[in-house]
Amino acid sequence: MRILVVEDNADLASGLREALTADGHAVDVAEDGLTGEDLIRSYPYDLAILDVMLPGQSGLELCRAARRSGLATPVLMLTARDTLEDKVTGLDAGADDYLVKPFELPEFRARVRALLRRATPSREAVLSVGDLRFDLATHEITRAGVPLKLSKKERALLEVLMRHAGSVVPHELILERLYDADAEPSQELVRAHVKGLRKAIGDTGEPRLIETVHGIGYRMTSHVPAS
């Protein structure tokens, strides 16, 4: 998943980025509301985490602007103000959840997981292609019932391909979903991840579960005989 954090406290932003990255997410960080608005309009985020008090533009204003433009990205609002009125104001601005500072990382991570699950249609709680299954809630991946061990980037890549099973996923979309905005990944790096993913899921024979569409990207076939 790709997550935007808009927080002007550098230490807190760094800590949140570290926690989210450890959970396998690609994370972009902005230190002010105007930069945050530019980012949220430019990239397909699965979640935005906004501090209420920000330089340039508040998190509330950013959230309102995003909702006015039609963006449905889930929003977790962070604030040091915990009155009922403050919470109502945040939710009325379009936030999906509200977390009061200071907070513990386990609660933060739980809120993030809940919002990401809520944003995922229930019918997609478990992705399935052939005998390959990916439980999005538990991150458990199995093939023919056998558990598989994947790296964080391999899991992220597999999710993108399974969500678009049967369709070609361009290199550009893969790069958007797997890497932060300030990263400089290449198609060669994507190919390396695909190679590692194929090995991890036992995709070594023919027909391929993950097909290479030369010059464009990759496609996960919708129907593959059980191995």
Side-chain angles (χ1 to χ4, degrees):
M1 298 289 188
R2 188 166 187 172
I3 297 175
L4 172 65
V5 175
V6 188
E7 169 60 64
D8 62 330
N9 182 311
D11 290 338
L12 178 57
S14 177
L16 297 182
R17 182 174 197 164
E18 183 178 340
L20 293 169
T21 301
D23 289 339
H25 304 296
V27 184
D28 295 333
V29 174
E31 297 180 353
D32 63 85
L34 295 177
T35 303
E37 184 174 356
D38 286 342
L39 286 171
I40 202 171
R41 291 177 183 274
S42 302
Y43 297 97
Y45 292 106
D46 298 289
L47 175 65
I49 299 169
L50 313 177
D51 186 21
V52 169
M53 301 299 293
L54 292 167
Q57 177 178 238
S58 74
L60 295 174
E61 292 169 331
L62 197 166
C63 189
R64 290 191 188 102
R67 295 301 185 233
R68 283 197 301 269
S69 66
L71 288 174
T73 305
V75 171
L76 172 60
M77 199 73 73
L78 306 180
T79 182
R81 304 171 65 176
D82 62 353
T83 68
L84 177 59
E85 182 180 357
D86 292 324
K87 294 178 181 179
V88 170
T89 300
L91 296 172
D92 283 347
D96 298 274
D97 200 359
Y98 195 98
L99 187 57
V100 177
K101 301 176 184 179
F103 50 81
E104 299 294 331
L105 279 179
E107 180 182 7
F108 168 76
R109 285 170 138 156
R111 299 286 187 103
V112 167
R113 289 194 299 269
L115 285 172
L116 292 175
R117 283 197 303 269
R118 197 181 307 168
T120 303
S122 58
R123 63 183 176 83
E124 292 185 341
V126 177
L127 301 176
S128 180
V129 178
D131 59 357
L132 185 66
R133 289 171 58 84
F134 188 162
D135 188 317
L136 299 176
T138 65
H139 290 175
E140 182 182 33
I141 300 167
T142 61
R143 186 162 193 198
V146 179
L148 304 176
K149 293 186 66 175
L150 276 67
S151 70
K152 294 167 186 173
K153 281 290 188 285
E154 288 167 354
R155 285 202 309 267
L157 174 59
L158 180 62
E159 181 178 347
V160 172
L161 294 174
M162 293 185 78
R163 285 188 182 278
H164 297 85
S167 301
V168 178
V169 182
H171 293 114
E172 293 76 14
L173 178 59
I174 293 173
L175 293 173
E176 281 188 352
R177 305 307 291 183
L178 267 63
Y179 294 96
D180 305 342
D182 57 358
E184 295 184 2
S186 63
Q187 292 186 14
E188 288 73 19
L189 187 55
V190 172
R191 282 195 286 271
H193 286 314
V194 170
K195 182 178 180 181
L197 176 58
R198 281 173 168 157
K199 182 177 180 180
I201 65 176
D203 186 27
T204 56
E206 296 293 341
R208 284 280 194 179
L209 185 59
I210 301 172
E211 300 175 346
T212 300
V213 183
H214 294 287
I216 302 177
Y218 299 90
R219 173 174 53 222
M220 177 161 277
T221 53
S222 299
H223 302 288
V224 177
S227 58

